[in-house]
Amino acid sequence: VELAGLMAAVSVERDGLGVPTIAAESRVDAARALGFLHGQERFVQMDLLRRGAAGELSALLGRLALPADRHLRIHRFRERAARAVAAIPAQRRELLDAYVEGVNSGLRALKNVPVEYFVLRQQPRPWTAGDSMLAVYAMYIDLQDDRGLRELTIGLMHDLLPPALFEFLTPRGTVWDAPLDGVVYEVPPIPPPGVVDIRHDEPWTRLLDLDEPERATAAGEDPSAMRGSNSWAVAGSRTLHGGALLANDMHLGLGVPNIWYRAVWTWPQDGERRRLVGVTLPGVPALVAGSTGRIAWGFTNSYGDFRDLVVVELDPADPDRYRTADGWRAVEIHEETIEVKGGEPETLTIRETIWGPIIRHDHRGRPLAFRWVAYDPEAANLVLIGLEDARDVDDAVALANRGAVPAQNFTVVDAGGRIAWTLIGPLPRRNGVSGAVPRSWADGRGWSGWLAPHEYPRVIDPEDGLIWTANARVVSGDLLDKLGSAFYPHSARSKQIRDGLRALDRPSERDMLAVQLDDRALFLERWRALLLELLTDEAIADHPERAEFRRVVDAGWTGRASIDSAGYRLVRAYRQFLRARVFDPILAPCREADADFAYSRFFQWDGPLWKLVTGRPANLLHPRFDRWDELLLENVDRTIEHFLDEPGDRLADMSWGARNTARVHHPMGAAIPVVGRWLNMPAIPLPGDSNMPRVQGVTFGASERMVVSPGREERGIFHMPAGQSGHPLSRHYRAGHSAWVEGLASPLLPAATAHRLTLLPVPNR
């Protein structure tokens, strides 16, 4: 195939899974060839990424996409993408332009447009450099809270609850803490009756109806599950072969095609043949995670505070003016037109401040502007490309601290056996304020630029030769204050990984995979023990369903989130229901102020819940109950009712696999069931859950699993859901999915060549 713009021929060899090895004579030609492949095999995915980030889905999908567009258009990422492109340095811009031209050449070279456009009766529009920035912004939207809901939740609690109760319900950590520095934060003490008593104090006596039970809450997805990942490193001094090991599994929403596109590409540079292997994001000409032979790296999402809600002080005499540190300023008005397939366009009016758009009002009716790192050109600078030239962990860490991606824990190892951790992504410099709750910035306090690279937290060559991250808190003290401390999940998964690594002796790549697949239910063991202690002979007397519940929790517990375990499913559901029954009455003032209030948005709720059900303070027990045992047993009954919904249902049949059946669907297969059997991956029960290394939900889980030692890539392990190609009729549409399902140690490097494509420069004619 002739590919315009090439300086020399490029060979593309695919193995039986469709994984390409791109052999080019320059880095620019490699970028152009990668774009060609992305355009041929993943253009629909790329189109949905850019349209989603820009709030332009309705033009393709019609009115059903309008709610999403209304929300996303408020960020005005299309305009911000243009500014980001303009700020890219020349060398990276050359690669980006070659990639964009390759994408469009690949799309044009298809014999037919992708079938999705045929069904939608649409034509694909060309790819642009700005669209590549939108693909990066799509990851910001996916990985960070783009609505400010967590700040809103914590701000509401801060305003309406007694300070001691607020502190108790929003701890910085729990007994599960496993940061790299070893500092553990305890849950604050339970407030005594003199501080708060929901049985006798206003407003609880007015809000808690003794005749009505608390509202029901489904025992579905764990609300503390979030976009996450696992990543860890083992220094060469500890491993079987003496090379440092990197393991990474990034947890994201599951779909067809998978978010990542595997690739290997090589080119000559400085007298050697450079080789990159790993995953790419269709739409971007960079290795996202993988190995260069010199270094290997992976990511987990950081849950620091990288966006704030700013209270906007409007002028009472003129609501189009607001107060700033420099005096009154006019609100900027932007009119955005949302095109709608088959309908009239819709105009969206956006009111913007110097901090960001006004996106909502709080429970006091105050307008709130959204300040987000994603709004600045520094948020998408393609610095990831520079990691290709890093020679060791020192180079990689220094470059990562200048990178622009949604803030990530960056774990890196090098061919010399060394390991390191730092953060990649822009970090705001806070000027005397915490961003945990909404506040005004009219006094000049807020953000004042970005942290310099030397101010980023770093761990390089730790004494024990281990680094682990799993979205939880990694640092403490002043470093934590720089990052924000309100939004981290609890550390059960991180602790299980840490302890699993410490137990290994001279580990290999397969040992790393075994840790990735660890589905032991250590986090729920204490909840199971609580239930068995609660369900005494007296408690189950004359209650055959309770007796059966106890039997299944006891005998049906495998100690894992295994597909055959009914005990695991019952214990998990019990805890989920209990969360609502315990916290709903305590947080009744917050629910009264905001019907959408959800404490589950605060990820550390398990610590306060455990302290309440074991400490059993009367002052925080719903007045409908005389004793905590009554509430706890009634919650058993509600859990039983949830499962025994139809005649003939048995608790012993409620296996975790029946609930945790993966739905890896194509967007069209999900929307049009009749074609789903052709487009979706098979529905298969899978082990794992959110609070253990093997993270697995119905539509959420490991988007890839990778283990690699740089310079020893032939020993590496890799698998991912779905297949390499996004075309349903391709032989590579499902290839490799079974290895992900079964957790097989399939190779990182492509197998023998099954197909060869040669891309040729266009001759002068």
Side-chain angles (χ1 to χ4, degrees), residues 301-484:
N301 197 29
S302 170
Y303 277 81
D305 189 5
F306 313 118
R307 66 271 170 218
D308 283 345
L309 288 175
V310 182
V311 175
V312 180
E313 299 181 36
L314 296 177
D315 183 351
D318 183 357
D320 288 330
R321 295 201 313 165
Y322 65 101
R323 190 188 304 277
T324 74
D326 298 320
W328 295 104
R329 190 180 183 111
V331 175
E332 292 184 18
I333 307 297
H334 299 275
E335 301 285 347
E336 292 279 326
T337 300
I338 301 176
E339 300 292 338
V340 182
K341 176 193 171 188
E344 293 296 318
E346 181 175 297
T347 299
L348 182 68
T349 300
I350 300 170
R351 292 165 57 81
E352 188 144 353
T353 70
I354 57 173
W355 306 297
I358 297 174
I359 64 169
R360 64 173 68 248
H361 290 70
D362 68 5
H363 63 286
R364 299 194 221 170
R366 301 177 301 178
L368 301 175
F370 196 50
R371 181 68 176 102
W372 193 9
V373 296
Y375 291 157
D376 292 64
E378 293 89 347
N381 61 14
L382 296 184
V383 163
L384 268 179
I385 294 174
L387 288 172
E388 299 171 5
D389 295 323
R391 294 189 173 274
D392 54 27
V393 296
D394 296 318
D395 285 353
V397 165
L399 189 137
N401 295 155
R402 299 193 300 273
V405 296
Q408 301 287 297
N409 293 297
F410 176 77
T411 303
V412 60
V413 305
D414 67 24
R418 300 174 61 205
I419 65 176
W421 164 86
T422 188
L423 284 175
I424 184 172
L427 304 180
R429 184 186 304 280
R430 297 187 180 280
N431 181 20
V433 298
S434 164
V437 300
R439 74 175 302 276
S440 171
W441 288 7
D443 59 2
R445 292 189 292 172
W447 294 2
S448 56
W450 309 98
L451 294 185
H454 72 272
E455 297 176 280
Y456 278 57
R458 298 172 177 176
V459 174
I460 300 176
D461 297 326
E463 287 186 13
D464 64 356
L466 296 175
I467 286 171
W468 60 91
T469 76
N471 311 120
R473 178 175 64 85
V474 180
V475 294
S476 310
D478 293 341
L479 290 176
L480 180 62
D481 291 338
K482 288 182 179 181
L483 306 180

Side-chain angles (χ1 to χ4, degrees), residues 190-200 616-621 628:
I190 299 171
V195 173
V196 58
D197 188 340
I198 70 172
R199 302 167 74 86
H200 301 102
R616 305 187 181 185
N619 58 308
L620 294 179
L621 175 65
W628 274 88

Side-chain angles (χ1 to χ4, degrees), residues 228-308:
S229 303
N230 300 325
S231 189
W232 60 83
V234 181
S237 58
R238 294 183 66 120
T239 68
L240 181 66
H241 50 54
L245 284 169
L246 172 84
N248 185 213
D249 47 298
M250 296 183 279
H251 311 144
L252 295 166
L254 302 176
V256 183
N258 185 41
I259 188 169
W260 309 120
Y261 182 89
R262 296 178 65 179
V264 179
W265 63 97
T266 73
W267 73 98
Q269 180 179 315
D270 300 330
E272 63 175 320
R273 191 82 189 175
R274 301 295 313 282
R275 181 180 69 176
L276 274 59
V277 53
V279 296
T280 65
L281 175 67
V284 180
L287 185 68
V288 172
S291 179
T292 69
R294 298 169 175 172
I295 65 168
W297 70 90
F299 296 116
T300 72
N301 197 29
S302 170
Y303 277 81
D305 189 5
F306 313 118
R307 66 271 170 218
D308 283 345

Side-chain angles (χ1 to χ4, degrees), residues 66 148 253 317 371 500 578 714:
L66 266 174
R371 181 68 176 102
L578 190 62
E714 71 282 353

